[in-house]
Amino acid sequence: MNFQRDHFVNNTCMVFRDRMLAYLILMVSLILFFNCIFDRTAIPELFRSESINSKIKNDGTNCPFGNPLATDPKRYGKIHIIHREGYTLGHSSKYRMAIWVCEEILSEELLGKATRRNHFKPEPLLSKGERAELSDYKNSGYDRGHLAAADNYRSDQRLNDESFYLSNVVPQDHSFNAGIWKKLEEQIRSWVKRYNRVIVITVPVYIDDKNQFPRFIEKNNDLTVPNHFFKILVRDENGSTLLLAFLAKHKKATNISLESFLTTVDLAEEHTQLNFLPNIPDVDESLEATVGVYWP
């Protein structure tokens, strides 16, 4: 009698165990299945956030004076804010490209063995139709020019790789990209090594002085080629804020000193209708109207 009871109990336990195991396998399979087929870029617009966050929580480090703000909301259409550990950017769905990129560059980030793997890829946090695609650049004659430079992230391969998202890229003439633009990026890294920390805001300008679109990639007439680029640099020196703003026309430039590109933050804001340092202290606001002294 005890044998039959024990046998029944054992059989019941085995059946229960097998069913629970089957349920567990089914749940894991379903999770993996939906994880593979679910396309995060297909989220209905109703449920999409104006601010899109990656796994790295943004703490304001990349934009310590606040994210740049559009003073004319219609100019850029819907703007998505994308936060990454290395940079924060504002992306225009109208242009399908970034309108600004903020970085906090530290001297230790420039040291390391991370390499450029040149693996460009579409922005995974944006839907097709509001982002640039690899096909937009194919046989276009333009470089995929970085806004936040890959060489700013030598200490971490992941951060270096993340600089190759097309949201951090705009069409650039090769002579410009490999010329004056590269020279400016290298000078900024030299300053970072000297001063340990520099905030950099990089700004492509898509509209010329007459509010006309100057150039398009020929086979894709809604991907605009910037006609100018601004870089705004901010650093601290003994408790004082120092600003430099550079304006470079998107063309080949040789034998020209970077100092000749100095301008004011106010001019950058006028041409882009963006407020780049919305939270700068009142005592420092006058700096935006002044051409800074070229740093040693």
Side-chain angles (χ1 to χ4, degrees):
M1 188 71 178
N2 289 338
F3 172 79
Q4 291 180 342
R5 183 185 61 191
D6 292 342
H7 183 69
F8 173 79
V9 170
N10 288 338
N11 284 342
T12 302
C13 289
M14 290 177 64
V15 170
F16 179 78
R17 182 195 64 191
D18 291 344
R19 287 183 177 178
M20 290 300 295
L21 183 59
Y23 288 144
L24 180 60
I25 293 173
L26 177 62
M27 291 298 295
V28 171
S29 299
L30 288 173
I31 291 172
L32 292 175
F33 174 76
F34 283 111
N35 188 55
C36 288
I37 69 168
F38 183 73
D39 181 4
R40 67 191 301 171
T41 65
I43 302 174
E45 190 66 27
L46 178 64
F47 298 102
R48 292 182 62 81
S49 171
E50 191 72 7
S51 179
I52 304 175
N53 295 282
S54 68
K55 294 180 181 178
I56 304 300
K57 181 180 179 182
N58 180 60
D59 60 2
T61 301
N62 289 318
C63 298
F65 297 103
N67 292 340
L69 301 174
T71 56
D72 180 7
K74 294 181 179 180
R75 177 163 178 170
Y76 296 108
K78 189 167 186 177
I79 299 173
H80 292 296
I81 309 300
I82 297 178
H83 302 302
R84 290 201 165 89
E85 186 174 355
Y87 58 84
T88 299
L89 65 82
H91 186 276
S92 166
S93 297
K94 179 177 180 179
Y95 296 115
R96 298 194 292 125
M97 290 184 289
I99 55 176
W100 56 263
V101 177
C102 288
E103 305 170 81
E104 179 201 40
I105 310 177
L106 305 175
S107 55
E108 57 263 30
E109 293 176 331
L110 304 181
L111 305 175
K113 297 181 179 180
T115 58
R116 294 173 59 101
R117 297 198 282 206
N118 293 321
H119 183 201
F120 290 94
K121 43 198 175 291
E123 174 55 65
L125 299 178
L126 295 171
S127 300
K128 289 184 177 181
E130 63 180 4
R131 70 186 187 190
E133 305 291 343
L134 291 171
S135 59
D136 292 324
Y137 289 91
K138 188 175 181 180
N139 300 322
S140 69
Y142 290 98
D143 286 1
R144 291 167 291 194
H146 279 69
L147 298 174
D151 284 345
N152 294 348
Y153 309 104
R154 297 296 301 276
S155 65
D156 191 312
Q157 188 64 56
R158 174 177 59 84
L159 301 188
N160 193 288
D161 290 344
E162 287 181 347
S163 74
F164 287 87
Y165 286 123
L166 293 184
S167 56
N168 183 46
V169 165
V170 295
Q172 285 187 339
D173 290 322
H174 178 72
S175 60
F176 176 85
N177 187 25
I180 195 66
W181 191 245
K182 181 180 179 181
K183 182 178 180 180
L184 179 54
E185 290 176 334
E186 290 174 343
Q187 179 58 60
I188 290 171
R189 284 191 287 273
S190 177
W191 280 325
V192 171
K193 291 175 183 177
R194 181 181 180 90
Y195 302 116
N196 296 319
R197 175 179 180 264
V198 177
I199 306 300
V200 180
I201 306 175
T202 305
V203 189
V205 183
Y206 299 107
I207 297 178
D208 65 12
D209 294 337
K210 298 180 181 179
N211 290 324
Q212 300 294 319
F213 298 103
R215 291 186 285 177
F216 297 94
I217 288 182
E218 291 182 3
K219 67 187 185 64
N220 192 336
N221 63 7
D222 63 350
L223 196 61
T224 314
V225 179
N227 58 78
H228 290 82
F229 289 89
F230 284 100
K231 273 192 183 287
I232 299 168
L233 280 57
V234 188
R235 70 177 178 89
D236 177 83
E237 185 173 275
N238 299 322
S240 297
T241 301
L242 300 182
L243 295 181
L244 285 183
F246 294 87
L247 171 61
K249 191 170 184 178
H250 189 186
K251 67 176 185 178
K252 183 177 181 179
T254 57
N255 300 321
I256 299 177
S257 69
L258 292 175
E259 192 170 357
S260 67
F261 291 106
L262 285 174
T263 185
T264 66
V265 174
D266 278 354
L267 183 68
E269 293 181 339
E270 177 185 344
H271 279 266
T272 60
Q273 296 181 357
L274 294 167
N275 182 1
F276 293 110
L277 305 168
N279 298 336
I280 194 170
D282 292 341
V283 68
D284 294 327
E285 279 192 355
S286 61
L287 295 174
E288 297 188 28
T290 305
V291 177
V293 177
Y294 193 78
W295 300 341

